[in-house]
């Protein structure tokens, strides 16, 4: 047995012990979830209630769906109080933490930030090319936020997180603002390593190092840790909590008006997930959103998500979260589900007398 194999196995066993212990951030959905309709809000319209139930029940996989009217306050869901792996959806909480720091005058979006090889993460990190080519890349906090949201760049996200106080600052924001059943782990490289049963190492960041270390582990151990993550996700969040937070963001209750507009505008330019929620839009409707895509083991994917705010031509808005915890269904089936949730929202808007203007 080589020293590298021994180190890998030791790290895996440590990760397994940690994973099978109680989560570092226990979150009981009951009692913490602020996702129920606001006081005095109208009853959930029958069409959207029944349609969401049908869509959820007909999907082959563990899925959570939540829809909330930003303006009227009604909310409907399918298994919406369970915790689902967020994956890159959690980048939204990092962005809100950063914009909250901007509002408090602690940082500015124009503040320069230099990234080096030590900042590299894994998986999707477009900024890595510039860092590897030049040895370092100097940018701004604003660009880090933009690329973390619109391109889902893991390195930009983790560097932004560290610039505004690290994981503890993000968790403090979630707690202080009362966002409810939303967990945040330690950033992308720590999360993805733990899911795979590994402890983060810088050599995972390039050249397939992460994949080689992950593939070297016994398949039985990988499966056990993978299922543990699905059942009790370290970055878990309830769709009901997410749409409640999105509605508050849209109403300007989480950030200043300028920061709210900046963040929602940035989310409106998201490039990932072009055929998830976005695929269900009709002309005149807009979407500000964040996707999340998890690791795959065999035919099973843990975490396939899209969350956001859709706005009608007449200005009324709806917060939507579709989060797939575990499935083997083809991507097109998952996308169709997300498309159909958006179409159901649009149809409900029309039934309520909303203007569906074709531009």
């Amino acid at each position: 047995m080589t020293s590298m194999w021994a180190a890998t196995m030791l790290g895996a066993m440590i990760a397994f012990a940690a994973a099978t212990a109680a989560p570092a951030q226990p979150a009981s959905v009951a009692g913490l979830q602020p996702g129920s309709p606001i006081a005095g809000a109208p009853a959930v319209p029958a069409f959207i209630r029944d349609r969401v139930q049908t869509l959820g029940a007909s999907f082959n996989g563990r899925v959570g769906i939540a829809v909330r009217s930003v303006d009227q306050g009604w909310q409907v869901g399918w298994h919406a109080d369970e915790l689902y792996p967020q994956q890159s959806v959690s980048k939204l909480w990092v962005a809100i933490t950063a914009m909250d720091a901007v509002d408090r005058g602690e940082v500015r979006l124009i503040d320069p930030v230099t990234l080096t090889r030590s900042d590299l993460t894994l998986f999707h990190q477009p900024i890595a090319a510039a860092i590897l080519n030049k040895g370092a890349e100097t940018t701004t906090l604003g660009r880090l936020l933009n690329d973390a949201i619109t391109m889902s760049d893991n390195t930009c996200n983790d560097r932004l997180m560290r610039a505004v106080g690290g994981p503890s600052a993000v968790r403090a924001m979630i707690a202080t603002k009362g966002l409810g059943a939303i967990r945040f782990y330690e950033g992308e490289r720590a999360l993805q390593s733990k899911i795979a049963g590994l402890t983060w190492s810088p050599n995972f960041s390039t050249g397939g190092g992460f994949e080689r270390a992950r593939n070297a582990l016994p398949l039985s151990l990988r499966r056990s840790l993978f299922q543990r993550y699905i059942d009790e996700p370290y970055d878990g969040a309830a769709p009901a909590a997410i749409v409640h937070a999105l509605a508050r963001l849209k109403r300007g209750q989480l950030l200043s008006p300028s920061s709210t507009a900046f963040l929602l505008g940035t989310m409106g330019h998201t490039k990932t997930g072009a055929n998830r929620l976005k695929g269900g839009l009709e002309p005149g409707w807009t979407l500000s959103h964040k996707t999340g895509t998890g690791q795959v083991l065999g035919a099973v994917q843990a975490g396939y998500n899209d969350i956001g705010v859709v706005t009608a031509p007449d200005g009324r808005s709806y917060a939507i979260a579709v989060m797939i915890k575990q499935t083997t269904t083809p991507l097109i089936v998952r996308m169709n589900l997300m498309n159909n949730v958006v179409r159901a929202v649009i149809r409900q808007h029309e039934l309520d007398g909303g203007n569906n203007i074709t531009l």
Side-chain angles (χ1 to χ4, degrees):
M1 178 178 290
T2 66
S3 59
M4 178 178 293
W5 170 262
T8 298
M9 287 299 298
L10 177 60
M13 295 306 177
I14 292 172
F16 179 78
T20 53
Q25 286 180 259
S28 173
V29 175
L32 287 178
Q33 177 53 40
S36 57
I38 59 176
V44 177
F47 172 80
I48 191 70
R49 178 198 65 208
D50 295 344
R51 186 61 177 145
V52 165
Q53 295 293 308
T54 298
L55 290 171
S58 62
F59 182 76
N60 183 21
R62 300 169 66 179
V63 63
I65 303 170
V67 177
R68 188 179 184 95
S69 167
V70 174
D71 305 285
Q72 294 177 307
W74 54 256
Q75 181 166 319
V76 64
W78 169 264
H79 293 178
D81 290 330
E82 297 180 17
L83 295 179
Y84 294 78
Q86 292 185 77
Q87 292 295 315
S88 288
V89 165
S90 67
K91 291 180 171 74
L92 174 60
W93 319 123
V94 175
I96 292 176
T97 302
M99 297 311 302
D100 193 45
V102 170
D103 287 343
R104 296 196 305 271
E106 297 174 359
V107 298
R108 301 173 302 164
L109 292 176
I110 61 172
D111 287 347
V113 181
T114 298
L115 296 88
T116 66
R117 289 184 65 100
S118 66
D119 293 304
L120 295 178
T121 56
L122 71 175
F123 299 152
H124 193 62
Q125 46 177 338
I127 201 171
I131 296 171
L132 293 171
N133 182 50
K134 298 183 292 184
E137 173 74 354
T138 297
T139 183
T140 64
L141 284 180
R143 184 196 163 190
L144 291 180
L145 188 151
N146 178 82
D147 289 4
I149 293 293
T150 66
M151 301 172 64
S152 212
D153 190 307
N154 289 336
T155 291
C156 289
N157 177 76
D158 279 14
R159 186 63 182 87
L160 177 66
M161 175 190 70
R162 292 193 293 274
V164 296
S168 61
V170 181
R171 290 193 283 266
M173 182 281 295
I174 292 170
T176 300
K177 294 185 182 295
L179 301 190
I182 297 172
R183 293 175 176 171
F184 187 82
Y185 192 58
E186 300 291 316
E188 287 291 340
R189 59 192 186 186
L191 173 67
Q192 302 304 335
S193 297
K194 185 170 184 177
I195 293 169
L198 301 167
T199 300
W200 171 255
S201 171
N203 63 21
F204 291 171
S205 62
T206 57
F210 177 81
E211 289 78 5
R212 284 194 298 273
R214 182 176 62 180
N215 293 338
L217 299 177
L219 186 57
S220 59
L221 176 61
R222 288 186 60 196
R223 284 175 175 159
S224 177
L225 289 166
F226 194 68
Q227 192 61 48
R228 166 63 181 177
Y229 170 66
I230 292 170
D231 293 338
E232 193 66 39
Y234 320 118
D235 62 338
I242 288 178
V243 296
H244 186 262
L246 286 169
R248 290 179 62 198
L249 175 64
K250 177 65 176 177
R251 290 196 297 264
Q253 296 172 341
L254 298 183
L255 299 169
S256 70
S258 60
S259 290
T260 298
F262 176 83
L263 181 52
L264 288 172
T266 301
M267 293 169 66
H269 289 89
T270 292
K271 297 177 176 62
T272 56
N275 196 28
R276 297 190 196 186
L277 292 180
K278 193 172 184 178
L281 292 178
E282 293 187 4
W285 286 72
T286 61
L287 171 67
S288 295
H289 69 129
K290 183 69 198 80
T291 58
T293 306
Q295 294 183 42
V296 177
L297 181 58
V300 179
Q301 185 159 35
Y304 189 84
N305 315 315
D306 202 0
I307 62 98
V309 177
V310 295
T311 300
D314 64 9
R316 281 191 279 167
S317 298
Y318 304 85
I320 303 175
V322 182
M323 306 183 74
I324 301 174
K325 180 181 290 190
Q326 180 179 16
T327 191
T328 60
T329 59
L331 290 178
I332 189 62
V333 176
R334 308 176 204 182
M335 293 175 185
N336 285 341
L337 169 66
M338 295 178 177
N339 293 175
N340 286 332
V341 172
V342 174
R343 291 179 184 126
V345 169
I346 293 174
R347 178 58 180 153
Q348 183 60 61
H349 183 78
E350 294 169 352
L351 291 171
D352 288 342
N355 296 320
N356 188 18
I357 302 172
T358 300
L359 300 180

